[in-house]
């Protein structure tokens, strides 16, 4: 638990002495590794003390008598971009980080964070679907309780920018947010590929951070369609994000090849959504080699994963459960846990519900940690994304069955520092600065996010590294993440010890800062 919020005296003298900084060579190695963008071994045990370092450029001397709007006191401050890792105070004024100091700072409000880590607020660039008036705040609530301060609805995305402008943009938001444009619905609004491309361009002219396409769910979308959409995306300065086409063992790499082909022919940035569960479940080594070779040729391809070894999809998924699925997926009817019935399926039940809908969850371990997830995380172009959103309020969670990635993705990722020996700085990089760098080409606002640095937006996640983890399970998924003590959004304490404490200070990141508004 964090200490209580207090009002500081103007002099700021009634407070602790500045603690000594402990040494940790392994953290120093991994901080340097993260700065260099290099792959970091997962075999070095996690170290939960800040590294010895020369005085960091961000650590400033503050004139006595200055009082900040908000001070985070005594946290282990980690900034993956710069390598800062020190016990320090963070001074916040006007919604931005104004100072980081090893000496005591005074604030009108304070958050006591001794023993905690203060990191940039997490960024989820793989939030699925799009915001709806009746449920968007519930989705934002679950993200906030998981340490997320910015969500980008890029998996598929919104059907139109005008919908976002009229229905969502004017409302209060708990977190920063942006959206992509989904292409699935363009065929019903325009008859020819040329007309659909023009329509997509018109939508992007009104806003949007990316173009989303999911050929597994919409198999009528051809490779040529995706190339055409990607060319529009490239011209508008945004990426094409793809949920790839194939999940079967013997064809999954064809989806990776298709995505690389689209990127190469269009010149667009292409992002592979959760490609450990769709595209490279059995052949991650080959997929990584293919992507690395493409990147060496200048093809702009990267991807994200979520930290779970099992997936969830609708039983009506047209590709994943088509004829031959048991052989293709290495699963049988009894491996499918069907959420509406809260039980595994038989052939008879599968046939009865195939086109009625409902979510199916597969067993833990369906995706290998050792040969699939961990090798992907060793690449510096792979970051974390949730592939999730939950629109069920916490008070109505009884009987809900879904994937816990909806509510606990990032805390679960942080727990890998203890369960898999991945350094905390490496994990944090993959949920802060890496997605910020990916998205800043779509909107310059992201140049201020994903960082703990003077002048950066004051989006801060404060957590206990010894206990942080996702608390949900498939049958009890709607549980706030453990160890997330406090979340600050644009300088406002918005979540604290299990309670949302602000009406909403999130910013709409519209995409206006892309090529339409050069910078």
């Amino acid at each position: 638990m964090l200490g209580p919020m207090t009002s500081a005296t103007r002099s700021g003298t009634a407070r602790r002495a500045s603690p000594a900084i402990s040494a940790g060579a392994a953290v120093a190695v991994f901080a340097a590794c993260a700065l260099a963008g290099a792959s970091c071994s997962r075999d070095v045990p996690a170290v939960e003390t800040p590294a010895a370092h020369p005085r960091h450029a961000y650590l400033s001397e503050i004139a006595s008598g200055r009082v900040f709007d908000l001070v985070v006191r005594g946290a282990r401050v980690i900034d993956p971009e710069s390598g800062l890792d020190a016990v320090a105070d963070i001074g916040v004024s006007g919604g931005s980080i104004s100072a980081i100091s090893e000496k005591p700072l005074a604030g009108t409000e304070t958050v006591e964070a001794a023993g905690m880590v203060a990191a940039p607020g997490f960024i989820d660039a793989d939030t699925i679907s799009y915001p709806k008036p009746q449920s968007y705040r519930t989705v934002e609530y679950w993200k906030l309780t998981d340490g997320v301060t910015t969500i980008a609805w890029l998996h598929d995305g919104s059907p139109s920018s005008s919908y976002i402008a009229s229905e969502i943009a004017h409302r209060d938001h708990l977190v920063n947010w942006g959206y992509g444009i989904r292409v699935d619905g363009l065929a019903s609004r325009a008859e020819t590929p040329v007309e659909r491309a023009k329509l997509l361009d018109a939508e992007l002219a009104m806003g949007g951070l990316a173009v989303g396409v999911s050929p597994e769910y919409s198999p009528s979308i051809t490779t040529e369609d995706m190339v055409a959409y990607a060319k529009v995306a490239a011209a508008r300065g945004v990426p094409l994000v793809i949920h790839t086409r194939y999940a079967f063992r013997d064809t999954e790499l064809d989806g990776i090849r298709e995505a690389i082909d689209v990127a190469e022919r269009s010149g667009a940035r292409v992002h592979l959504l959760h490609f450990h569960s769709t595209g490279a479940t059995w052949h991650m080594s080959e997929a990584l080699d293919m992507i690395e070779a493409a990147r060496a040729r200048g093809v702009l391809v990267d991807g994200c994963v979520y930290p779970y070894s099992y997936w969830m999809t609708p039983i009506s998924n047209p590709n994943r459960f088509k004829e031959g699925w048991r052989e293709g997926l290495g699963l049988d009817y009894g491996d499918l846990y069907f959420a509406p019935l809260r039980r595994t399926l038989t052939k008879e039940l599968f046939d009865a519900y195939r086109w009625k809908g409902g979510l199916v969850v597969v067993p833990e371990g369906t995706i290998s940690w050792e040969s699939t997830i961990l090798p992907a995380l060793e690449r510096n172009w792979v970051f974390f994304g949730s592939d999730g959103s939950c629109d069920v309020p916490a008070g109505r969670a009884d009987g809900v069955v879904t994937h816990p990635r909806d509510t606990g993705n990032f805390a679960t990722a942080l727990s890998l520092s203890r369960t898999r020996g991945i350094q905390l700085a490496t994990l944090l990089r993959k949920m802060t600065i890496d997605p910020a760098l990916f998205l800043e080409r779509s909107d310059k606002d992201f140049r201020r996010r994903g960082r703990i640095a003077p002048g950066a937006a004051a989006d801060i996640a404060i957590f206990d590294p010894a206990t942080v983890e996702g608390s949900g399970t498939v049958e009890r998924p709607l549980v706030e993440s453990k160890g997330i003590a406090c979340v600050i959004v644009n300088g406002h304490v918005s979540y604290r010890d299990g309670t949302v404490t602000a009406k909403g200070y999130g910013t709409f990141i519209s995409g206006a800062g892309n090529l339409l508004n050069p910078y």
Side-chain angles (χ1 to χ4, degrees):
M1 298 280 285
L2 290 178
M5 294 188 72
T6 62
S7 295
T9 61
R10 192 167 179 82
S11 65
T13 55
R15 52 157 299 161
R16 54 145 179 85
S18 182
I21 299 174
S22 303
V27 172
V29 170
F30 270 77
C33 189
L35 272 172
S39 299
C40 299
S41 170
R42 60 179 184 271
D43 297 326
V44 179
V47 177
E48 296 302 333
T49 54
H53 58 82
R55 183 171 180 80
H56 196 281
Y58 287 173
L59 295 171
S60 54
E61 298 288 344
I62 305 301
S64 61
R66 181 173 181 183
V67 179
F68 297 91
D69 295 342
L70 174 69
V71 167
V72 177
R73 282 186 176 171
R76 176 186 171 189
V77 180
I78 299 179
D79 176 50
E81 181 184 43
S82 68
L84 173 66
D85 188 343
V87 174
D89 285 8
I90 303 172
V92 174
S93 293
S96 298
I97 295 172
S98 298
I100 306 166
S101 177
E102 292 173 297
K103 294 185 177 180
L105 300 179
T108 303
E109 292 183 324
T110 66
V111 175
E112 299 290 349
M116 301 286 179
V117 169
F122 312 146
I123 299 172
D124 187 2
D126 186 12
T127 302
I128 196 167
S129 189
Y130 60 95
K132 304 173 182 67
Q134 68 274 21
S135 60
Y136 79 92
R137 277 182 69 90
T138 302
V139 175
E140 293 178 353
Y141 168 85
W142 289 114
K143 298 295 184 184
L144 184 68
T145 65
D146 197 32
V148 174
T149 57
T150 303
I151 63 177
W153 303 76
L154 302 189
H155 193 318
D156 297 329
S158 172
S160 73
S161 290
S162 58
Y163 164 83
I164 294 293
S166 64
E167 300 295 328
I168 306 297
H170 62 284
R171 301 173 186 268
D172 290 334
H173 289 263
L174 295 173
V175 297
N176 309 305
W177 65 284
Y179 69 98
I181 295 295
R182 64 187 305 160
V183 303
D184 297 14
L186 295 180
S188 64
R189 299 166 60 192
E191 293 185 3
T192 69
V194 172
E195 291 172 339
R196 291 194 288 272
K198 288 182 178 179
L199 180 58
L200 176 61
D201 185 66
E203 292 291 352
L204 288 173
M206 292 185 282
L209 301 174
V211 175
V213 59
S214 296
E216 181 181 10
Y217 293 107
S218 300
S220 62
I221 295 176
T222 67
T223 304
E224 296 306 315
D225 290 336
M226 287 196 285
V227 170
Y229 297 143
K231 287 180 178 179
V232 175
R236 288 289 178 181
V238 301
L240 183 76
V241 296
I242 301 180
H243 173 118
T244 58
R245 190 180 299 275
Y246 303 112
F248 285 9
R249 184 193 302 264
D250 61 347
T251 57
E252 63 174 359
L253 286 179
D254 291 341
I256 300 293
R257 293 187 184 95
E258 180 180 46
I260 293 172
D261 181 50
V262 169
E264 196 151 25
R265 292 168 58 192
S266 67
R269 291 181 288 136
V270 167
H271 180 75
L272 305 175
L273 295 166
H274 52 87
F275 71 110
H276 69 302
S277 67
T278 307
T281 300
W282 290 277
H283 301 91
M284 180 58 77
S285 177
E286 294 94 324
L288 294 173
D289 288 346
M290 290 164 52
I291 296 167
E292 291 284 10
R295 289 169 60 87
R297 300 194 302 271
V299 182
L300 304 176
V301 183
D302 53 27
C304 66
V305 299
Y306 50 76
Y308 298 89
S309 63
Y310 55 98
W311 44 262
M312 176 184 73
T313 195
I315 194 173
S316 57
N317 185 321
N319 260 348
R320 195 158 298 215
F321 294 122
K322 66 184 179 182
E323 185 176 355
W325 67 267
R326 288 185 294 167
E327 296 77 18
L329 298 175
L331 299 169
D332 212 332
Y333 298 105
D335 294 316
L336 307 181
Y337 186 90
F338 190 47
L341 300 182
R342 299 179 70 85
R343 58 158 292 174
T344 55
L345 291 175
T346 62
K347 182 182 186 306
E348 292 72 25
L349 287 172
F350 179 88
D351 292 341
Y353 285 91
R354 174 70 168 111
W355 301 113
K356 292 181 180 179
L359 294 174
V360 167
V361 186
V362 298
E364 189 168 354
T366 297
I367 308 168
S368 169
W369 276 99
E370 293 300 328
S371 62
T372 302
I373 302 172
L374 294 176
L377 288 174
E378 290 179 344
R379 305 304 171 113
N380 59 17
W381 45 266
V382 175
F383 55 80
F384 287 113
S386 73
D387 184 33
S389 64
C390 181
D391 59 5
V392 181
R396 302 179 188 174
D398 291 344
V400 173
V401 175
T402 188
H403 200 298
R405 69 194 183 205
D406 290 351
T407 58
N409 186 79
F410 293 91
T412 297
L414 288 172
S415 73
L416 298 179
S417 66
R418 302 190 307 274
T419 63
R420 297 284 173 175
I422 305 175
Q423 289 297 310
L424 200 56
T426 301
L427 296 168
L428 284 169
R429 181 177 185 91
K430 292 180 179 296
M431 60 184 75
T432 59
I433 186 60
D434 283 352
L437 291 171
F438 169 69
L439 288 166
E440 73 175 21
R441 295 174 240 180
S442 297
D443 195 300
K444 62 185 178 182
D445 181 86
F446 283 99
R447 291 183 171 181
R448 302 182 61 242
R449 307 197 186 273
R451 300 153 167 92
I452 297 286
D459 295 341
I460 304 170
I462 302 170
F463 63 91
D464 182 350
T467 63
V468 65
E469 64 182 0
S471 302
T473 63
V474 169
E475 291 193 321
R476 190 172 177 267
L478 304 189
V479 183
E480 289 81 0
S481 292
K482 184 178 179 181
I484 303 293
C486 183
V487 184
I488 298 167
V489 180
N490 292 314
H492 297 272
V493 175
S494 297
Y495 178 73
R496 183 183 176 86
D497 291 335
T499 302
V500 173
T501 57
K503 67 175 183 177
Y505 291 96
T507 295
F508 175 30
I509 307 174
S510 67
N514 63 20
L515 291 183
L516 296 174
N517 183 21
Y519 58 96

